[in-house]
Amino acid sequence: MTELLCVQGLCAGYGDAVVLDGIDLALDAGDSLALLGRNGVGKTTLLATLMGMTRLRGGTLRWQGRDLARLAPHQRAQAGIGWVPQERWMFPSLTVEEHLSAVARPGHWNAARVYEVFPRLQERRRNLGNQLSGGEQQMLAIARALVLNPALLLLDEPMEGLAPIIVQELQRVIRQLIGQSGMAVIVVEQHARLALAMTQRAMVLDRGKVVHASDSAALLADKARLDALVSVGGA
Ligand SMILES: Nc1ncnc2c1ncn2[C@@H]1O[C@H](COP(=O)(O)OP(=O)(O)O)[C@@H](O)[C@H]1O
Ligand SMILES: [Mg+2]
């Protein structure tokens, strides 16, 4: 079977600055990966590069056997890569419902299924983007990616800056999404233990390079190694 995503020798950055320096990564349908590392090591840049939002300097990116680098960002979304960016921006003048109907593609995930997962969004469905709390915005950002029915979901620090009760709710939902209907998931998370507990595999970046790759359970069990890799700000 063809791998879903195959990245080899990836170098990318912004303008003249090269941030990612030789990244290899392969994912199959249903895989889940915790993408870890301290601040500024290139986690967001890697996700943004998968979406075509950075300057590609070298390496290959294959998606279901096709050359991903030839596709524009919106074509990558249509091809099945769903991105929940760290900034979780909303359209201030669109309602929750409109955010979802604007991007929906046929498949398992429709507004009704998303509302089952996030009952708060159903309560808020007629509210505008700028009337939502931070937690509700993050739920909507995830919901918006889900109704695209992606084969790969990219979550960039989905729990960042949210109240503990919302973090718990998002944790429950992300666990539920992982392994469901064959969707692959990459989750970037500062709280390394939390991300390791919900994923099968882990990859740690440092200064744009992969410095560790293993099963999540193995890294979770090796406290000294985990602390050495992600200590600052890690949980
Ligand atoms: N839009 C940008 N333009 C130029 N440099 C950037 C941009 N975004 C991030 N960088 C730089 O790229 C490096 C990696 O950043 P980032 O991928 O955001 O790290 P992480 O998500 O791991 O915290 C940092 O040195 C950061 O300053
Ligand atoms: Mg980041």
Side-chain angles (χ1 to χ4, degrees):
M1 196 183 95
T2 310
E3 275 164 340
L4 188 66
L5 174 72
C6 182
V7 171
Q8 285 179 314
L10 180 69
C11 296
Y14 308 92
D16 289 338
V18 179
V19 174
L20 301 177
D21 181 13
I23 305 275
D24 295 327
L25 167 66
L27 285 180
D28 274 321
D31 279 354
S32 55
L33 177 79
L35 178 58
L36 308 174
R38 298 182 182 87
N39 250 326
V41 297
K43 304 180 298 296
T44 294
T45 303
L46 177 52
L47 300 192
T49 299
L50 296 179
M51 290 313 294
M53 309 291 283
T54 65
R55 180 163 176 205
L56 188 61
R57 303 297 288 260
T60 57
L61 281 167
R62 300 197 74 78
W63 174 252
Q64 295 171 328
R66 293 153 62 199
D67 182 6
L68 191 62
R70 301 167 77 94
L71 303 184
H74 72 279
Q75 293 173 314
R76 299 186 196 202
Q78 284 162 3
I81 308 181
W83 184 34
V84 182
Q86 203 165 359
E87 300 79 24
R88 58 178 98 120
W89 53 269
M90 300 294 128
F91 295 103
S93 60
L94 292 188
T95 64
V96 165
E97 221 159 47
E98 286 164 346
H99 272 94
L100 298 179
S101 59
V103 296
R105 293 193 323 152
H108 173 84
W109 290 106
N110 51 29
R113 287 224 163 87
V114 158
Y115 290 146
E116 273 171 33
V117 174
F118 293 118
R120 262 164 193 272
L121 287 185
Q122 181 158 32
E123 289 162 25
R124 296 293 213 154
R125 67 189 184 282
R126 304 209 196 288
N127 283 87
L128 298 176
N130 62 4
Q131 297 170 325
L132 303 177
S133 70
E136 289 161 353
Q137 287 186 20
Q138 184 60 286
M139 291 173 194
L140 179 54
I142 295 173
R144 197 169 51 181
L146 286 176
V147 295
L148 266 170
N149 283 290
L152 169 62
L153 181 66
L154 310 175
L155 296 170
D156 199 344
E157 302 208 25
M159 265 93 62
E160 187 194 11
L162 301 176
I165 185 147
I166 306 290
V167 169
Q168 273 178 19
E169 188 171 347
L170 288 173
Q171 236 179 299
R172 172 185 63 77
V173 170
I174 294 167
R175 276 176 191 277
Q176 200 180 321
L177 298 179
I178 285 175
Q180 197 181 64
S181 61
M183 185 170 69
V185 179
I186 300 179
V187 53
V188 171
E189 192 42 69
Q190 284 297 316
H191 300 94
R193 289 190 169 79
L194 216 149
L196 290 170
M198 48 172 74
T199 50
Q200 300 159 330
R201 286 165 51 198
M203 187 166 113
V204 185
L205 298 185
D206 192 13
R207 278 168 275 179
K209 289 183 159 59
V210 178
V211 292
H212 179 92
S214 71
D215 284 354
S216 296
L219 184 54
L220 194 55
D222 190 346
K223 186 175 184 308
R225 177 97 175 111
L226 180 58
D227 284 348
L229 287 167
V230 298
S231 56
V232 185

